[in-house]
Amino acid sequence: CYPDTALIFYTNNIDSSFCYWEFDGLHQTGVGNDSIYVIIERPIGSVKLTVDEYGCVSEPFEMELKRKPHFDFYVDSEEGCQPYSVEVFAEPLDNLLKLFWLTDSLPYPTTPSQLYFFPDSGRFSISMAGYSEQTGCSDTLVKADWIWVHPRPFAKFEPDFPVALVDNARISFTNYSERANQYFWDFDDGQGTEEFEPVHTFTELGDYDTELISVSEFGCTDTFNYLIKVLPFSVYTPNAFRPDSEIQENRTFMPVSSGVENDQFQLKIYDRWGQLIFETTTTYDPWNGKTKNGNDAPMGNYVWVADFYDIQGYKHHQKGQVLLIR
């Protein structure tokens, strides 16, 4: 079995030999007399040689040449992003061919296409073997480093305040992405940017599924999401309360309701003479109108002082008066 070209020569050549070649299924390339190159066009071709020496013409000699099978395979795209799945299509170019995918050095009978999965980046080879039932010839086609899988970028970021108060919802983002050169941010409030490390201000209360799409130089992408909560900072200070009220919310006094770090909170209540009658270090322990010794405080005006930090670390100092009603 020959490849597409073959060298044919007349073995008994002398100086006066004139060779006359005839072809069927192949043709001569270049010039030559006693030795020629031919291109084999069909799976089986024939060549006939007649020699003239000193006016004597030989009987024709004919021989058959078998060509290795012609086949190919192709993909829609020879490169993609990690992880990459690609369908490879077989293309027989001769009749009566049996084709085999060569996977892990083992032959598998060919279906019209084969799905390959490449979890890693790099260049990868694809191989196929072919056997001609017409000629008995076989061949192997290897496309070395044919499939190019580009590395996937890594997208990640971190906000300086994953939970913010609406009064201070100006968030800075630290970008930890790798193998990327483009960045597309979506703050889930109708706004976005392509900056590397943006600063964004949220103006409404709610949960915002902030998204970053990192893109590599090959167009490969990775996505990272982070939920940011924007809360109200509520300092609703009632000016009076009554411990025996029919409404439960009116039975105690607490000047702060949300957005406070409970481990850095202090509330003190003073009577009109400046005596400390109640204190607490948590918003979950409101004043119920009793003194430090557990007795009912008399009806009247009381002074309160609150020192605390909000959830973003800002310090607050507030004071006022509250009327205890009996």
Side-chain angles (χ1 to χ4, degrees), residues 163-223:
V163 180
L165 301 175
V166 70
D167 293 340
N168 293 292
R170 187 174 185 269
I171 309 299
S172 298
F173 296 88
T174 301
N175 192 340
Y176 296 108
S177 297
E178 299 175 3
R179 300 183 296 276
N181 61 0
Q182 287 184 292
Y183 310 93
F184 299 93
W185 298 83
D186 183 351
F187 300 113
D188 197 27
D189 62 354
Q191 302 295 319
T193 184
E194 297 181 20
E195 297 178 60
F196 177 65
E197 290 185 331
V199 177
H200 182 69
T201 300
F202 295 92
T203 59
E204 302 287 340
L205 302 176
D207 294 344
Y208 296 92
D209 187 18
T210 302
E211 179 179 81
L212 168 63
I213 301 176
S214 297
V215 185
S216 73
E217 61 179 313
F218 302 106
C220 301
T221 63
D222 190 30
T223 303

Side-chain angles (χ1 to χ4, degrees), residues 18-22 48-52 56-61:
F18 293 94
C19 298
Y20 300 96
W21 303 91
E22 298 177 64
K48 183 186 295 185
L49 172 62
T50 303
V51 179
D52 183 342
C56 298
V57 180
S58 69
E59 292 291 326
F61 175 79

Side-chain angles (χ1 to χ4, degrees), residues 120-142:
D120 301 317
S121 61
R123 291 186 176 269
F124 300 91
S125 303
I126 302 291
S127 304
M128 173 180 281
Y131 172 77
S132 172
E133 295 181 313
Q134 179 181 4
T135 64
C137 298
S138 61
D139 198 10
T140 300
L141 174 61
V142 179

